[in-house]
Amino acid sequence: MTTATVTDERIARTSTVTKLLKRPEIGALVAAIVIFVFFAATTSVFATAPGASTWLRGASTIGIMAVAVALLMIGGEFDLSAGAMTGFTGLVVGVLTTEYGLNIWAAILVSLALALLVGFINGVLVMKTGLPSFIVTLGTFFVLQGIDLAGTKALIGQVAIQGMSSVPYYDSAKKVFGSAADIGGGLVYASVFWWLAVTVLATWILLRTRTGNWIFSVGGQQTAARQIGVPVFKTKVGLFMTTAGAGWLVGMLLLFTTSTVQSNTGVGQEFIYIICAVVGGCLMTGGYGSAIGAALGALIYGMVNQGIVYSGWDNNWLKAFLGVMLLGAVLLNEWVRKRAETAR
């Protein structure tokens, strides 16, 4: 074998490894496999159809939001109002239908319009004022939380919606957002199919469309992106509206799966969405990430959240795991990025 042949083989191997390392979701994929194998081996329920049904359901709603938040983070921004949005949209539908008798599909459309309006306002404020999205959306978070608590209590005298199942045409909406199919002895909820659809759509947009190129550009080099004609304002406002729209979708899934919603629904979840996106390969600085990775990050969260229960551990360990997972993901992402750059 000649020296040139050996060199060519080394280059080929290096090129393959480099390509794998450049994939943002590779770390999350490995972690998801390890966690699945661990809980499947240490518990008797985790890998069964009923057991998987539980952690898939939990991961699905987190996953939808994590994918949307990942798109926004790739675009260089954050949305801390994403969690409160899920409760806000559910409460809008609940109040309009149970208290004011509005047709359920009309109420669903009203809540969607309000969610998109809030996302639009967030985007415009960030772009027009130059304030960090962290600050703008933190303000929106408190506004929505106040409306959810004080507004709902003022309108209906309580902080939870009751009687949704008796609303006319409730069953038709439940088929879309809250139904479940028995597969292999376990229930697979509509939210899981929505999660898969959102992940596929987001991945296609990022990797196969001009809009995806814009998202990576505005997150990585906003000034340069503007100079080459990328519509920075439209792209970023659209991303905020996308995150708000995902909040509406999760709000509907939660409402029609449980037939109720409370004023504190979704509050505090915004940090979990960000953690899942980071675990999936998104950089905090923007310009890099993956929708598939964010979905895998949510899958990891769902498996650990339920795996801890199946193992009989104290559920408070989940918070410690999230912290370790976030720090580990950030360090791993940096190491992988630097290694990939060195191997070029």
Side-chain angles (χ1 to χ4, degrees):
M1 185 178 291
T2 65
T3 303
T5 302
V6 172
T7 302
D8 288 343
E9 289 180 354
R10 288 177 178 174
I11 291 173
R13 286 198 299 269
T14 302
S15 178
T16 301
V17 172
T18 301
K19 287 179 180 179
L20 284 174
L21 288 175
K22 285 182 178 180
R23 295 304 310 159
E25 64 273 3
I26 192 67
L29 176 60
V30 173
I33 293 172
V34 170
I35 289 170
F36 176 84
V37 171
F38 173 78
F39 283 118
T42 57
T43 68
S44 59
V45 183
F46 185 84
T48 65
S53 170
T54 304
W55 49 260
L56 279 174
R57 177 184 172 185
S60 61
T61 51
I62 297 293
I64 291 170
M65 289 306 305
V67 169
V69 167
L71 294 179
L72 185 62
M73 289 180 65
I74 294 170
E77 307 293 348
F78 295 92
D79 188 350
L80 297 184
S81 67
M85 180 62 73
T86 64
F88 171 74
T89 53
L91 288 167
V92 168
V93 173
V95 170
L96 290 178
T97 54
T98 60
E99 294 296 316
Y100 297 98
L102 186 65
N103 176 274
I104 196 165
W105 286 105
I108 288 171
L109 291 177
V110 169
S111 69
L112 173 59
L114 290 174
L116 294 177
L117 176 62
V118 172
F120 177 78
I121 292 172
N122 279 339
V124 170
L125 285 176
V126 169
M127 295 305 296
K128 290 294 186 181
T129 64
L131 291 172
S133 54
F134 177 91
I135 298 298
V136 172
T137 58
L138 181 62
T140 308
F141 163 78
F142 282 113
V143 170
L144 291 177
Q145 189 178 19
I147 293 173
D148 289 353
L149 290 167
T152 304
K153 192 172 183 180
L155 290 172
I156 66 175
Q158 56 186 6
V159 293
I161 299 297
Q162 305 293 338
M164 276 299 301
S165 58
S166 61
V167 170
Y169 304 109
Y170 171 83
D171 289 339
S172 64
K174 184 176 178 64
K175 288 180 181 179
V176 176
F177 299 109
S179 58
D182 189 330
I183 299 178
L187 292 178
V188 180
Y189 287 85
S191 58
V192 175
F193 298 107
W194 278 103
W195 176 30
L196 293 173
V198 168
T199 303
V200 170
L201 177 61
T203 301
W204 176 74
I205 289 173
L206 281 177
L207 302 181
R208 293 288 184 267
T209 69
R210 183 172 58 177
T211 301
N213 292 331
W214 291 346
I215 293 171
F216 282 109
S217 297
V218 299
Q221 296 290 338
Q222 179 172 307
T223 302
R226 184 179 283 109
Q227 290 173 348
I228 62 174
V230 173
V232 175
F233 181 88
K234 182 171 72 173
T235 301
K236 292 212 173 191
V237 171
L239 287 172
F240 278 105
M241 293 179 71
T242 297
T243 305
W248 164 82
L249 175 57
V250 171
M252 297 305 98
L253 294 170
L254 293 174
L255 174 63
F256 291 105
T257 299
T258 63
S259 301
T260 187
V261 61
Q262 298 183 354
S263 296
N264 63 351
T265 296
V267 174
Q269 298 283 68
E270 51 280 337
F271 294 108
I272 294 175
Y273 307 150
I274 293 173
I275 289 173
C276 291
V278 172
V279 168
C282 289
L283 295 180
M284 304 294 283
T285 52
Y288 185 83
S290 162
I292 294 175
L296 287 170
L299 181 63
I300 291 171
Y301 173 82
M303 289 193 295
V304 171
N305 187 32
Q306 201 58 42
I308 287 175
V309 175
Y310 291 153
S311 298
W313 301 345
D314 187 336
N315 197 48
N316 290 314
W317 283 113
L318 175 64
K319 303 298 182 184
F321 175 82
L322 288 175
V324 172
M325 190 167 67
L326 176 61
L327 290 174
V330 171
L331 293 173
L332 178 63
N333 289 345
E334 278 298 305
W335 178 80
V336 166
R337 183 178 62 83
K338 291 178 180 178
R339 185 183 175 96
E341 289 176 352
T342 302
R344 287 177 181 174

